[in-house]
Structures are given as structure tokens and as C-alpha cells.
Amino acid sequence: MSWNTFGRVFRMTTWGESHGPALGVVVDGCPPGLALDEAAIQPFLDARRPGQNKFTTQRNEPDQVRVLSGVFEGRTTGTPISLMIENTDQRSKDYSEIAQAYRPGHADYAYDAKYGLRDYRGGGRSSARETAARVAAGAVARLVIPEVTILAYVAEIGGDAINPGNFDAAEISNNPFWCPDAAAAARWEALVDDARKSGSSLGAVVECVATGVPAGWGAPIYAKLDADLASAMMGINAVKGVEIGDGFGAARLTGEQNADPMRAGDNGPSFEANHAGGIAGGISTGQPVVCRVPFKPTSSILTPVLSITRDGAETEVRTKGRHDPCVGIRGTPVVEAMMALVLADHKLLHRAQVGN
Amino acid sequence: MSWNTFGRVFRMTTWGESHGPALGVVVDGCPPGLALDEAAIQPFLDARRPGQNKFTTQRNEPDQVRVLSGVFEGRTTGTPISLMIENTDQRSKDYSEIAQAYRPGHADYAYDAKYGLRDYRGGGRSSARETAARVAAGAVARLVIPEVTILAYVAEIGGDAINPGNFDAAEISNNPFWCPDAAAAARWEALVDDARKSGSSLGAVVECVATGVPAGWGAPIYAKLDADLASAMMGINAVKGVEIGDGFGAARLTGEQNADPMRAGDNGPSFEANHAGGIAGGISTGQPVVCRVPFKPTSSILTPVLSITRDGAETEVRTKGRHDPCVGIRGTPVVEAMMALVLADHKLLHRAQVGN
Amino acid sequence: MSWNTFGRVFRMTTWGESHGPALGVVVDGCPPGLALDEAAIQPFLDARRPGQNKFTTQRNEPDQVRVLSGVFEGRTTGTPISLMIENTDQRSKDYSEIAQAYRPGHADYAYDAKYGLRDYRGGGRSSARETAARVAAGAVARLVIPEVTILAYVAEIGGDAINPGNFDAAEISNNPFWCPDAAAAARWEALVDDARKSGSSLGAVVECVATGVPAGWGAPIYAKLDADLASAMMGINAVKGVEIGDGFGAARLTGEQNADPMRAGDNGPSFEANHAGGIAGGISTGQPVVCRVPFKPTSSILTPVLSITRDGAETEVRTKGRHDPCVGIRGTPVVEAMMALVLADHKLLHRAQVGN
Amino acid sequence: MSWNTFGRVFRMTTWGESHGPALGVVVDGCPPGLALDEAAIQPFLDARRPGQNKFTTQRNEPDQVRVLSGVFEGRTTGTPISLMIENTDQRSKDYSEIAQAYRPGHADYAYDAKYGLRDYRGGGRSSARETAARVAAGAVARLVIPEVTILAYVAEIGGDAINPGNFDAAEISNNPFWCPDAAAAARWEALVDDARKSGSSLGAVVECVATGVPAGWGAPIYAKLDADLASAMMGINAVKGVEIGDGFGAARLTGEQNADPMRAGDNGPSFEANHAGGIAGGISTGQPVVCRVPFKPTSSILTPVLSITRDGAETEVRTKGRHDPCVGIRGTPVVEAMMALVLADHKLLHRAQVGN
């Protein structure tokens, strides 16, 4: 099945292929009266945009968004918001090779196995270009949750992690890696550049923290806030896992070590730790909502890898085109967008049932 | 919002509280003509059932399932299948303490913050007792996917991992830990018993492997097979993360190390590795579908932990009742059930669109 | 596909067959804190209950509802509310005839064609007994919309319509027909009794009016309030049509005749007519929401009708069992329940998006 | 709430306002491998297109569709199909009057009451221009159900009905009214022209018949085929009712008159009548699926009608712009499209559960 809608009451439906004329998203269920225009969306797309430095793919896409519906005189009307981004740099290259051979680690074989045919130009629908649509929708979602601040950053590249002691939020946009640790950013420059030059690729871990989420968002049992975040993050291209709070680390703690004691506070409880990542029983607790997301190294590498053709013959595939040496970097704005989309949906779901 | 339905076309809706008269599940969308009776479900419930040995809670529930609808003359009819399990051992204890004080690390505070009231008897709806309903529904899901074999086991308790070299599937049901490594099982006996005696608790990691999944299941972009698994697993009580294939480990590999080369095989491609965990672009590849799930140590411990009352006063909470020293153990059949539910749904979704 | 869930955020999932051990409904998404117990539901079930007079089937079912979850100390908790009604009068008769021959006009053939098998005892899932579950859920829905008053009544039986000039709401519960016109009720007594004695059956038209619905409920474009009502009503057993406001009559008016002029009022506009039935553009206008629903005469009649057996041989079928001479009568409480369910869902949907 | 997605597995999401830059639809869940290009869609849009004769609005829109995604080398790929139609004739008129005063019978007041603001240019989202998107999606849906033939026609205008004895399918496209009765078409010419000249408007009844629907489509209990059709039709602009088969007429028949006897046939049963309109228990029977849909006369008339302004002051509104004297005429292709969308969805739902 094709299933291109995300969300329960605040919903987005995305469409478009890597090398089609355009891609886009329809945002439905947005509250009316919010100030919205292209300028409110564009900065988020610019953050995800390729070709901005040597550490990302050299495909050059302006990713200029157009608002086609749902906004009148600068305000959302409550009707569906259609956002479109035209593809401009679909380099006219020869796709005959990729048309025949499956790129290992990519979705080529899986799409063919499922649908019996595929748009092989740049990965078609399975391309990470689709995430531009999510980022655009995420910009709208942010307007729905002004009480929340979302911050994602890269915490690790190629196994080289930041030092939490060096964490400086202001540093994140100072380097091309969304890295909050200036020292790590300096190290990564060489690391990523080496991978780029050698046609290799590196994995990364992105962390995302949402502060200002009030206690009470989340829809147990099968739309728990953490379950929806897990789905949202795992669905991003190249993501292979999700952690909430201490995640896998919690499995190594005792109940005493993992405790989240509560104290009396002025506005609800004050918490002494946040092992749980701001979510208990699938419902937000008022603490920061914290998740961690690993991105695999892209399978697009210069080294030949064994594969097969559509006809079942063995072959080798190597990627000579434009690619990201570390897709996790450009995944960072996408993680933020998915966090915003999940939270906006849950804010509306909560007030549907409880009324505030 | 309350959201107690899981699945898109093969769906379950669960209901019930820990200390209410009963709990249950309605399974909808099940294909007709499948042989089903209580005996086909009961063994899975027995695997999850408490009180079977000293390593799990001493609450004694027979967890006897009744089929109330959807089956006629031993076959599913295509109409909703209602399964009910009566609660029998709701020990009549004094809940006045828990009614007033929030158990830290539990959902008590979050439910109160959300709904303004809560059923505090044994955690009410947030109790892991709800997972009995999932296990019952999972037994039905298995009938939908006879081509698939699902195997979950505990790979790690309290930071003590199995040795993959000792892996023996036959060993899994030979010990009370669902442990495939006899040596590890022996170590865990002391480990878990110590935790039990001291009123402490331990985390665990459960692995689940589904073999026989054909290439082509999964619904990109927003119902990817891995995204749906992530949601399914993260929604289990005490789970704080999910990995598909190499998961977080993949973030530390290079593209060359993470490659999944394909060779020509007799029935579709043969793969030389499975870093991707059997899923590419959200679609199954025909390889085993592999996920890993960390369970936190339960917050129900003897050691007093700081907390607050409903009125905002500070207090201490310690758990004197019957509890699991390692909830991950009994989570294992639940992980299997969720895997079955996701796969059954995707099999039906796939044939909706593609017709086979 | 089997699809037994109704509603978008306020949802019910029903289950159960006519002659199974029980039937029931899980109500999900209900706001917390509402006073609810069996006594709040039972009167609505009693109104629909069979065997109360000679004008309805003589099947004798107490239709006693049990609340199994979602309520604590007399209040809804926000978690799923499971309601169950046991079947008690499944008369042990010989079903071999109906097992083989399709009752014409019933769903027997269609279920067999779809599922390849069917529970033939009393129609199984296709029996109107399922509507008891809707009525129970409808009683919960009413608690969500205390601002709304819902009134359904029979406006026509066997082509004999009430005189609107005689309309007296107080009369509706004074006769066994839910008839607001005492003179019509007197005529119907003979009409329906004749049909009953001769083993024939009669159609009916039920009207339903909801007053107190504020302007603004409804979710354009594909969950319009009138579209959802149409789906809700058409899905009731034996219903073959729906009208909103003037319905088919509007197709015979000119634009001038069909106008709904607005005047200034103290609380929003005052309307001079209500041809539109309280809904414009799929959104409520603040006027009474009005719909009309025709029930066909039941196909269960004494006169033999040509049919075929499962094996394709021709045969004749006549119904000797207990049946309603006019199913529209007992459909009246069901129409009210569906109106309540749709309105409760839309109230919550509206405040999800707009916040009040 | 805004809810702009229709369908369960074959889904469309529409967007766009009457006077925005464009409108469109995203079709999701479409099977792969179907031949599709603009030329397969355009004829259906042309049938609905305004400005083609004096009996429809003089707004001149080419309604040229563009396929932006989901099709590769002339075949559907299984990924979302984005279709866009640019608005070209948004006449730059002065909207200050309609911005302030609510047009009675239109959705103006309801949208304002719901959302607190509205795009008043030509009705914005509530304009029937939205139905162009449905017609485009309906053209895709038809490709999914090649076994089905759908035929809609106007059966009545202004109370003047066709003579069923004159029914000639070939006549339908011979006149500007989609009228299958040449004599009626001749009468309607004067009737509609009079209404047009006098600035009045007329209602109409559209009938739609789908032949070739196999027995077994439909998803009881809450996605019955007739219930979904009711929702689909009632959601079309200006529609105030729906009938399946004999509809309201069935309420005036006895059980004997309404019987649908079955005889043995070569391929399944042969039916002697079709009072039920091809649907029993919410499932298709193999007979033609028949529905009737009344369109009200448009509220856009020259005669002044009392209304109020946004500020609550009384005023009069008359419509001087371009409008359809009988909106039911152009509703006919929309009825066909909605029938196709419902049937395509149910075909896929059926094979999801039953596998063929």
C-alpha cells in the first residue's frame, strides 16, 4: 500500500519524486487565524537545502516554496494548505545503468519487488528529497505550538560524539554540522571531508529536545506520544532506530538509578532527572521531550558493491553522482520537523478530548 | 485523546483496566475462513501470564480467554472477533496511599495531568496488564501470516548480554528468561533473584526476528514497515527505544561496512549481510526482519523515591506490592505479538494495493 | 473488508452476532469526568428492546448492559469504555433451512459471496441486533453534547404520514410507534396489526431533529456534518435513503422558494426558514439539524419468495419466526443514537481544530 | 476540523479555493502499473467544465490538468499521484460586498462561525469548483475498476422528470443536460433558459447506475457500500439527500412488493427485481448499484434575500455574478466520480481482507 498521510487530526499528505517536476505537501486540520506566508516556511527549507557547502550533496535546488491554498490575507483559513516546491536541478544524466541494476542498501529492489516497476531517476519517491515536503509542513506545525521550542543537533558523526560538557546551543548554527560542541565540529570537518573525498560515507546520531510541552499531551494506548515520535523518526530516510530519554541506556540501569523523583514546584512538579525523556505512559510530563535518532551512512559510495540486475544477473554498483557524505547532517532539520508535526497533532488531539 | 485502536486494515481495539472486571480486544478486518478457537490463543497468553515462577510478579491470573464473536463453527467469519479475559486476582488492598501520591516513573502524574482523574488501582489503564489483550490479538494475527515465523528472546538483562555464539533457539523456552544462551540464563538466575530479593529492578533488551516475510510488504512513506514496527514496540509499557537491523550501531559504520551486497539467488536475490534488518525504504526485502527493544527497569522498587501528592505536597513512595523484578522478561511475548500484528496488517495492505 | 469502527475522534467499535453469547461496543475518545453508569444507558436500550408489545418481534431480550471499563467511581476516565450485552433468548431452533437457502432481501447471499461462509443463525452479524450496541454507545455520546436535544419519531408507516399540524412531542412516548400525532398512532395500530397478523411487513419514515447544535460543527470537505449523518443513517439496517432538511423536496423548489433568509438576532442570526436542515457547506448553522430516514419493509414475510440455495438450486423461502412487522419503529432509537454519535464526534473535532 | 481526505485505502486529498492560484488532489493507494496520463483525465474534467453553453455559468476555465507525480513512463508507480488544475478566470471583481454580507443559503455564515474568518472570493473552499479535483481523482479511480461501467444522468429538473420509457443511454451526451430522454431534454431547454434569464435557479435529481460490480464489495458494519455512497454523494455541493435503489419509495411498499426474488443463473443468482439497488447488508449483490441524488436550486439568485452582515446588521443580498441556473447539471460528472472513488476503494478493501 502507498500511505502518504501522516498525523491524526493535524495531518500532512506529501507527494512527489526526486526527479519529477515538483514535490509538495497538503497540510490539513491546521487551526485558522495563524499568520502564515512563504517567508515563514522558507528558512526551514533553507536549513535542509542541499548544495550549501562541501559537506552536503552538490545538487543545487533553491527549494522555493509556494503556498497554493489555505491562506487568505496572510492568515490560515482552516482549510487545506497546499505547499509546492519545484524541482529545478534534475540533472539530465543517463539513468540506464541504475534502471537495470539495484543499488544495494537503497530501496530500488524493494520498490520493484513491491510495485513491479519503479521511477529509478534519483530514487524516485524513495529519495530523501521527499523530506523537503516534511520540513515545509513542519514549519506550519510550529505555528500551532508556539509554547514549544524544538532544538535538534548532531551529537555524533562516524562514532565521534560531542562532549556534553561543551554543549552550546548558540554554536549549532555556527558550523555546517548542526553541532553544539565547537571542538567536535572542528574534528568533524576533517572527518567528513575525508569521507567525501574518498567517496565513502558516515553515520550520525541526531538528538532532538522539545521544551515547553505541557503535561498531558499523548493518546494512550496506541497513539502514545513516544510511539508516534518513534514512527515519525523511524520513517525518515536512513534512520535505523529511536530512543526516548535514556533509551537503550535505561536497559542497563537499576530501578533506583533510573528513578525520576518529583519535587513540589511552583507550577506543577519539579523533576530531579529526566531518564524518561519527558514522557510517562505515553503522555507528556511537562519535562523536555528528548529523543535520539541514528542515521546510517548512505549506501551511495564510490566503492563497488555486489548487486544484481532486474533480470537477476550479478553486477557491481558504485555511485558516481552527487551525494551526501553524511546524510545525518541534513536529516537534522527533518527531525525537528517531525517533532513539530507530532506535537502539533497531539496538542489538537488532547484538546479534542479534554477541551483545553 | 484516547486512542485504543492499532492497525490500518487488520486492526485491534483494546480496553480494560488492571483492576476492572475484565479486559479485552476486538480484532477487526481478519480474513474469513481461518481456523480459530480459544485453544489457538491460550498458549500465547500463558507465555505472558504472571505468577509462573519467582522471577515474575506473584499476581495470579489464569488469563483465560473467551471468544465472544467473529468465529462460527471453528472458523473466522470476517466479522469482528471479540476476545475477553476476566480479571480474577484483583487483590482487595488499600489503595488510599497510591490514590494520593504519584508513583515516580509511572504514568500516575501524567494521567492525572491529562484527564484530571485516574483509576489508581494497579495503574488502571496504564498497567502492563493491557498487554494481555495484545497477546491475544497477536495470536489471531499469526493465523493471517502463516508464511512467517516470529521469534523473540531476551538478549540482555541488567547489562549482561548473551553471547551470540551460544545462540540456541531451542533453549529459549527452557528457562524462565526466554534466553537463547544457556550460560547467560544461568547467570541471570542469580542476577534477577538478587534484584527480586532486594526489591530492586533490572532493565532488559529483547530481540525479535521474523523470517519468511516476502519482499514487498510496507507502505511508504508514512506507514513504512520499520516506522510501524517502531510505533508498535515503543508503545509497549516500559519500552524506551527501538532499533531495526544494526540500529544505533549503523551510525558508527562507514558506508562500506554497512553495505548489504546482493547476489543472484534461486528465488530472488541472496543477501550477504542484513545490516538493514530486512527493510529498505520502508519495504521488506525478503531478508529476516530484525528489531531490538530495550525495556527500562520498572519504577516499582522498595527503595523510597521522592514524589508529590495530588495536592502538591512532597512525599516518598516505595512499592511493597507484587511486581516484576525485570519487566522485559514478560515483555517478550508482547514483542512477538506486536510484530505479528504489524506484519498481518501490512500483508493485507499490500494485497489491497497490489493484489497478491 | 470488515470495518466496525465509527467516528473520527469520538469512536465506537461494535462486535457480536445475533445468536452469539453477547454483543458489545468499545467507546473510545470519550472526554473524562462525565457521570456514567449502567443506569444512564439502560433507558435507551429499553426503548429499542424487542418484545415489549405486539408490534415488535417477540424475541425477549432483557438487553441488560454492563460497563466493563473506562469508568471509575462513577466518572468516565478518558480511557475506552467497554459495554457488553449478553444474548439470552437465542431460541434453539433448527437453522438447517436458512443455512442452505438464502433469504431474499437479506444479506445472506451477499455475506456468502463476500466471505465464503456466514454465521446463519438469525442473520449473524448482519442482524439488526447489532444496533443495540449503537444505542448503548449513543447514550454515552449524549453525555458529550449536553447542549443538544435529540428527538426522533416515526413520521410515516406504510405510506400513511402524520399530519404535521398534529405534532405533539409529548405524544411520542405515549404510543408504541414513537408517533407524535395521536390520530396517526391510532390509525397505525390497525395498519401494523394487520401486517403482523398476515405475516406481511411495512416500511416507515423516521425523522430526527437535533436542537441546540451551535453554529460551526462539521468538517469540510470530506467529513461534512451532513455527509457523516448520511453515512450514519444509511448504515442502519433496512435504511435506504437519507434527506437533510427539505431533501428531495428541495430539488423541486426554485431558488427563491428554497431561500433561508437571515435576520439579526440576539445570539447570532435568526433564520426565517430551515430548508437546509441546519447545515450549510457541511457546517452547522445554529438552526435545528433535521434529517429524514426511510426504512424498507423487512424482507422477513410469510409469503414464499423465490430464492436459491448455496448450491445454486432454486427454492422458496418464507419466514416463520419472530419478526418485526415494521422495523422502522424500533429503528427510531437507533436513529437518535447515530445522530448523537455524529454530533459528539463533530463537537470534539471542532474543538481540536478551533479550540472551543 | 478540516478533513479533506476521502477513502480508506484508495484515498484522495483535495485542496484549493475558488479564486486561489490553483486547486488539486493527491490520489494515494492507487495500484501500480495502470496506464495514466493527462489525456485519460481531461475528458472527465471537460464534462464538468463551466462555460460550455448558456445553461451553465459563464466562468471560463480550461481546467487543464497536470500530473505532477506518481506516474512514470506512462504508468502509475503506486506512489501518490498529484494532479493540479490552475485557476485562470478569477475575474478581478470587487468582493467588498460579499466580504461583509453573508449570502443566505451559502456557507458564508457557517464558515465564519466555525473559523472566525473566510476566503470570501467566490466562496473560497466551499465553492463547487472544488469538485473539479474530485472529477480528476475519479478518472484515476475508474482505471482501478475496469470491470465496472458507471453512468449518471439527470432524471428531473425543476420537478419535471424524465419518462423512464424514453430512456436512451446514447441520448445522454447529445444534450447539455445529461438527459437520457430526448423529449425531456427539449422541455428542459426552455425551463432552464427561463430560470437563467430571470436570475432564478432550479433543482435537479441525478441518478447513477454502476453495472459490473461483482457481489462481495462493501465493508460492514461502518463502511457499508451504501453508507459510503451516501457520504460521498451527500458531500457534493448542493446535495440534500441520497437514495439507494427504491429509497424513500421502499418505505411505502409492503414486504411482498419490495421483495427481490432470486433465480438460479449461469454466473451466480439472477435477480427478478432490484429494489435494493444492488446492495444488501452493505455488500454488493452483483446487481447494478443504483443511487439517486437531489440537488437543491443554487442560492445565487437575482431576487434580493434578507441577510445580515458580519457585524450583525440586516441587509439584502442578490447575486449578480456568473452562476449556474441549475447546478445539478454540472453535478452529474461529479456524481459519477464519487461513485468511482467509492467503488475503487471498496474493491481494494475487499481484496485486502479476502484476497481476490
Side-chain angles (χ1 to χ4, degrees), chain A residues 106-136:
Chain A
H106 281 280
D108 297 355
Y109 168 69
Y111 268 70
D112 245 10
K114 183 175 192 66
Y115 297 119
L117 80 173
R118 73 184 203 279
D119 180 346
Y120 45 73
R121 301 165 306 164
R125 181 72 181 148
S126 73
S127 164
R129 236 191 111 50
E130 185 269 347
T131 60
R134 307 183 190 208
V135 169

Side-chain angles (χ1 to χ4, degrees), chain A residues 2-4 11 14-15 17 21 26 28 32 68-70 72-73 77-80 82 115 118-121 125, chain D residues 2-4 9 11 14-15 17 21 26 28 32 68-70 72-73 77-80 82 115 118-121 125:
Chain A
S2 174
W3 205 282
N4 293 276
R11 275 154 291 135
T14 71
W15 56 270
E17 276 84 33
V26 182
D28 200 7
L68 295 176
S69 69
F72 183 60
E73 297 180 342
T77 58
T79 63
S82 176
Y115 297 119
R118 73 184 203 279
D119 180 346
Y120 45 73
R121 301 165 306 164
R125 181 72 181 148
Chain D
S2 174
W3 205 282
N4 293 276
V9 290
R11 275 155 291 135
T14 70
W15 56 269
E17 276 82 32
V26 182
D28 201 7
L68 294 176
S69 69
F72 183 58
E73 297 180 342
T77 59
T79 62
S82 177
Y115 296 120
R118 73 183 203 280
D119 180 346
Y120 46 74
R121 301 165 306 163
R125 181 71 182 150

Side-chain angles (χ1 to χ4, degrees), chain C residues 221-222 227, chain D residues 5-7 10 12 14 130-131 133-139 141-142 145 150 152 208 225 228-237 239 291 293 295 331-346:
Chain C
I221 302 291
Y222 297 111
Chain D
T5 298
F6 183 85
F10 185 90
M12 69 164 171
T14 70
E130 186 269 347
T131 60
R134 309 183 189 206
V135 168
R142 285 167 196 264
I145 47 169
I150 297 172
C208 185
L225 186 54
D228 277 9
L229 283 172
S231 168
M233 299 305 168
M234 191 70 91
I236 301 173
N237 305 50
V239 168
C291 74
V293 183
F295 287 78
T332 308
V334 184
V335 166
E336 283 200 358
M338 296 311 294
M339 174 67 85
L341 287 158
V342 169
L343 291 176
D345 194 27
H346 275 283

Side-chain angles (χ1 to χ4, degrees), chain C residues 247-259:
Chain C
F248 279 84
R252 282 156 211 136
L253 302 179
T254 63
E256 293 76 15
Q257 293 163 330
N258 193 53

Side-chain angles (χ1 to χ4, degrees), chain B residues 1-5 8-11 13-17 20-22 26 28-30 32-33 66-73 75-82 84 111 114-121 125 348, chain C residues 1-5 8-11 13-17 20-22 26 28-30 32-33 66-73 75-82 84 111 114-121 125 348:
Chain B
M1 180 51 57
S2 174
W3 204 281
N4 292 277
T5 298
R8 287 174 166 86
V9 291
F10 185 90
R11 275 154 290 134
T13 300
T14 70
W15 56 269
E17 276 83 32
V26 182
D28 200 7
C30 185
R66 282 186 68 199
V67 178
L68 294 176
S69 69
V71 176
F72 182 60
E73 296 180 343
R75 303 252 157 210
T76 59
T77 58
T79 63
I81 301 165
S82 176
M84 185 168 75
Y111 267 70
K114 182 174 193 68
Y115 297 119
L117 80 174
R118 73 183 202 279
D119 179 346
Y120 45 73
R121 300 165 306 162
R125 182 71 182 149
L348 302 194
Chain C
M1 179 53 55
S2 174
W3 205 281
N4 293 276
T5 299
R8 288 174 165 86
V9 291
F10 185 90
R11 275 155 291 136
T13 300
T14 70
W15 56 270
E17 276 82 33
V26 182
D28 201 6
C30 185
R66 281 186 69 199
V67 178
L68 295 176
S69 69
V71 176
F72 183 60
E73 297 180 342
R75 302 251 156 211
T76 60
T77 59
T79 63
I81 301 164
S82 177
M84 185 168 75
Y111 267 70
K114 181 174 193 69
Y115 296 120
L117 79 175
R118 73 183 202 280
D119 180 347
Y120 45 74
R121 300 164 307 162
R125 181 72 181 149
L348 302 195

Side-chain angles (χ1 to χ4, degrees), chain D residues 195-276:
Chain D
R196 182 183 65 83
K197 285 180 189 155
S198 63
S200 182
S201 64
L202 297 168
V205 175
V206 173
E207 292 184 1
C208 185
V209 180
T211 51
V213 178
W217 292 3
I221 301 290
Y222 297 110
K224 287 179 173 174
L225 186 54
D226 38 2
D228 277 9
L229 283 172
S231 168
M233 299 305 168
M234 191 70 91
I236 301 173
N237 305 50
V239 168
K240 301 304 293 180
V242 191
E243 292 181 322
I244 301 293
D246 283 6
F248 278 86
R252 281 154 211 137
L253 302 179
T254 64
E256 294 76 15
Q257 294 163 330
N258 192 53
D260 277 330
M262 287 187 271
R263 304 295 294 265
D266 291 336
N267 306 299
S270 120
F271 292 85
E272 303 212 324
N274 189 13
H275 298 289

Side-chain angles (χ1 to χ4, degrees), chain B residues 33 46 91 98 107 111 134 187 193 215 223 233 285 288 295 299 313:
Chain B
D46 290 347
R91 192 174 291 190
I98 186 177
Y111 267 70
R134 308 183 190 208
R187 297 193 306 269
D193 208 34
M233 299 304 168
T285 62
F295 287 77
S299 309

